[in-house]
Structures are given as C-alpha cells and as structure tokens.
Amino acid sequence: MKKLLLATAATALIAGAASAEEIKLGIFIGFTGPIESLTGHMAAAAELAMKEASDSGKLLGGTTVVGARADSTCAIDTAAGTAAAERLITAEGIKGMIGGDCSGITGAVLQNVARPNGMVMISPSATSPALTTAEDDGLFFRTAPSDAREGEVMADILVEKGIKSIALTYTNNDYGKGLSDAIANAFIAKGGTVTINAAHEDGKADYSAEVAALASAGGDLLVVAGYLDQGGKGIIQASLDSGAFSQFGLPGGMVGDTLPAAIGPALDGSYGQVAQSDSSGAAILTEMGKTAPTPFDATSPYTMESYDAAALIMLAMQAAGSTDPKVYKDKVLEVANGPGEKILPGEIAKGLELLAAGQDIDYDGASGVELIGPGESAGRYRQFEVKGGKYETVTFR
C-alpha cells in the first residue's frame, strides 16, 4: 500500500510545492516553565533535522525549512501558550508543529488551535494517557510513549528493588495525574501498596505541608511525578530538609542535569526511568549533536524525540508531495513504520530521495521510531540510578 508510482510521485511533488519554496515548522515547547532546562536541546535537535532537509535540496523540488520557536510555557500559562500556538499559524504561517511538550498545553492546543486549523502536531514529550483517545482528526502524533507504559516500567523497577509500599506525589495537571495513576495502578497490580497519592502545585516557595502529609502516610520510597525545575524539586528538597524521605523514585519529568545540581549529593541513590532508546540511531545523533550549528546533548530527555518529530513531518510531506498538513497527515504513519529501507539520523536526504523515487522507507530515527495505535510511540525506557550527581544507566527496557 505504501508504494507510489514514480510518475505519480514526480507529478505530486511538482503540484504540491512551489519550486525552492521556504516553509516554517513551529517548535512549540516550554522555553520557560518547569522543564526549561531541557527545551534548548530539544529545539536545537529539531532545527538540525530541518537543516539536513534544507541542505539536501531534495525536499519537494528544493523546498527549504526553517524553525519558528514559540513558548508553550509547559502549561504554566495555558492562555499564553494557546495564544503563542495561534501566532505560529496566523502570523508565522507554519506548515507543521513540533510540540507541544507538556500534556496539558498540548491537549488544549490540539482542541482549540490545531483541529480548527487543520494543523499537524507531533509531540516529542507529551505523554498523558488521555491523549491516546483524544479527538484529533488524524492530526496528532507523538514520538514519546504514553505514561501508561511508563507506569508499568516503574512498577517493575520498584518490585525488583524490593519496594513494598510507596508514597506518591504528582504535579497537579494532566501529565502528573495521568502518570501518577498509571504508576499507582501498575504497582498495586503487582502487589504493592500506595499509602498516599497526592497532588502538589508548581511555583510554591514552601512544600513543608505537602511533605508532612506524605511523611504521615509513610512508605518505603517517595515517588515524585513532577517537574525537575519546579514543584518536584521543591518536594524533594523539603523531604530531605525535614528527614521525611531520603530516597526518591524519579519518572521522566524529573530527569535532567539541573536536578542533581540543585539537590546535591543527597540525591544519589534515587532511581527511575525516562523514555530513551538504545538504538544505533541514538548513538549517531549523540555524535551529531556535538558538532551541530547549535550544539546539543542528544541524551537529554526528549531531544532524540524532537529530532524525530521534525524528520517525520518533512518525510511525510515528501511522501504526500505536499506541504499541506491536511494532505500529508495521512503519510506520517507510512514513513514511520515498515516495510521499507531504514532511515537513521543523518540520512534524511536519503529518505527524501527514496520517497521521491516512489520507494518505501521505515524511519527509525534516533529514538527507534515505531508508531502504534493512534500514532504514538511504542516506546523504550532507560532505567537509571543517580550516582555522583549523574543519571547512570542501569539498563534499557
């Protein structure tokens, strides 16, 4: 079904885009807010994919691609984030969106901006299980796996570590609630006990009351389903200051160099998991990031997924012979999955050339892309332990 006749593909490429057209892709992530320490890497990776396609001269007869950045605020200010997404479409004239990043703002923009405007969104990091069943008119995809899967992975790790009971706190939004429920349900199903599952608000100066409630409930470990640059960090610091907990379970939103830098040696011994691949493409992008025009750390959370999100949009455009999101949305799953020749980071030009020749590709990218069900990643996770202020890899799951 994926096969395109060469003549048909060539005609579509001519009809679908003007010669040497320049298009914009929106990079809609939280340059301010609770994961701001991650988003510079994410944006630079997406822009590197765009540069690859542009430099190749093979996208739709020489079309070039540039990124237009906009601050989602990561759901800290939904109104401001939604307005920023609208500006990308109305003022910048984007043809696709990498983002959003956090689940709450992603869901809001999907319903209030993307669907009314027929805009494709590929999120590298919005992981709420609620997005799996959201009405999306075939416009929404994500290269990060759902937190339903992360809950299972974390429960497995906790059981293997001999943990019998956990206290659980989550950031009070769609991401935190969905992830905490996934962890709690999976852990209980494996025979564990959740002593408390309580929300916390981001942006507070004092978390002593929240920590007192968590300590009163007790547990072998405190799992913090929050943000490393916001309330999650505050909960951990208050727990250490009061002696309530000394070891923490850390899901993906708590992973980044700024957390151990802020907490110090007391974070050593805590552990968890983050969506990340150990594919051959991951190693390639890690090296590419070191010499990119804007260097980035590809091992930083959701950076590989950001490169892949941008690549998928451009490859889908090529497969459809069009930059119109309403047209190329139907090709995203095709270029992401087999059959076809595998395409890795640094091979976007090769993928574009094969598609132009009417051949199949299977974009594997940096994160080992395989889109399932309603266009979301099957997912792979890196299990880690914090040692010497670093997230040391234990294994991949």
Side-chain angles (χ1 to χ4, degrees):
M1 290 178 64
K2 289 176 68 176
K3 293 294 184 184
L4 294 173
L5 294 175
L6 179 56
T8 303
T11 302
L13 293 178
I14 294 169
S19 179
E21 179 187 3
E22 180 179 90
I23 62 169
K24 292 181 180 180
L25 297 182
I27 302 175
F28 180 64
I29 54 180
F31 294 104
T32 62
I35 63 166
E36 61 186 29
S37 61
L38 308 181
T39 50
H41 300 290
M42 294 166 66
E47 288 163 349
L48 179 61
M50 296 177 206
K51 185 177 187 302
E52 272 189 67
S54 297
D55 290 351
S56 75
K58 298 180 185 298
L59 175 61
L60 298 173
T63 293
T64 55
V65 188
V66 295
R69 295 188 180 194
D71 187 5
S72 76
T73 78
C74 194
I76 291 297
D77 188 338
T78 301
T82 300
E86 289 173 341
R87 285 195 298 274
L88 283 175
I89 295 173
T90 58
E92 298 287 354
I94 63 168
K95 298 296 185 181
M97 185 184 296
I98 295 101
D101 52 345
C102 295
S103 296
I105 189 62
T106 299
V109 167
L110 173 61
Q111 300 305 329
N112 300 321
V113 181
R115 290 182 67 198
N117 289 281
M119 182 57 60
V120 164
M121 299 174 68
I122 303 186
S123 172
S125 58
T127 53
S128 170
L131 290 167
T132 298
T133 55
E135 291 292 329
D136 67 357
D137 303 332
L139 295 164
F140 179 69
F141 307 86
R142 47 183 172 174
T143 48
S146 165
D147 287 331
R149 171 66 179 140
E150 183 167 6
E152 296 171 355
V153 171
M154 179 153 235
D156 286 341
I157 294 170
L158 293 171
V159 170
E160 289 169 14
K161 292 280 190 179
I163 300 297
K164 304 296 185 183
S165 65
I166 61 170
L168 206 164
T169 181
Y170 62 91
T171 184
N172 192 17
N173 62 21
D174 291 353
Y175 160 70
K177 184 66 168 66
L179 177 56
S180 70
D181 286 347
I183 294 169
N185 292 339
F187 187 56
I188 291 169
K190 292 180 180 296
T193 298
V194 178
T195 63
I196 186 173
N197 189 356
H200 64 260
E201 301 295 335
D202 287 319
K204 294 183 65 175
D206 184 0
Y207 287 95
S208 57
E210 290 86 348
V211 168
L214 295 166
S216 178
D220 298 336
L221 184 83
L222 174 59
V223 175
V224 185
Y227 292 129
L228 77 162
D229 295 326
Q230 267 289 345
K233 176 178 69 175
I235 290 283
I236 288 176
Q237 190 62 65
S239 297
L240 292 168
D241 290 344
S242 65
F245 295 93
S246 60
Q247 191 177 42
F248 307 92
L250 305 174
M254 297 298 296
V255 182
D257 292 341
T258 59
L259 185 65
I263 301 300
L267 195 64
D268 284 3
S270 294
Y271 55 85
Q273 67 291 318
V274 63
Q276 190 171 312
S277 174
D278 55 345
S279 68
S280 57
I284 293 170
L285 188 65
T286 298
E287 291 305 309
M288 289 172 61
K290 297 174 183 177
T291 58
T294 302
F296 60 86
D297 178 5
T299 66
S300 180
Y302 308 113
T303 299
M304 296 178 188
E305 290 84 355
S306 298
Y307 175 94
D308 290 343
L312 284 175
I313 288 176
M314 295 180 294
L315 292 167
M317 288 177 173
Q318 185 84 335
S322 175
T323 61
D324 183 347
K326 299 183 190 70
V327 176
Y328 75 75
K329 69 181 177 67
D330 295 328
K331 295 295 182 179
V332 174
L333 289 175
E334 267 188 25
V335 299
N337 298 336
E341 186 161 349
K342 284 198 179 295
I343 301 298
L344 299 175
E347 298 181 339
I348 291 175
K350 175 184 175 183
L352 294 171
E353 188 170 358
L354 288 169
L355 289 168
Q359 297 184 41
D360 293 342
I361 68 166
D362 176 6
Y363 181 75
D364 205 51
S367 62
V369 173
E370 186 72 19
L371 299 187
I372 58 175
E376 62 186 32
S377 172
R380 195 112 162 97
Y381 286 86
R382 175 168 69 97
Q383 180 183 341
F384 62 81
E385 182 174 340
V386 182
K387 294 181 179 179
K390 302 291 184 183
Y391 296 82
E392 298 288 345
T393 300
V394 175
T395 189
F396 285 83
R397 295 174 178 261

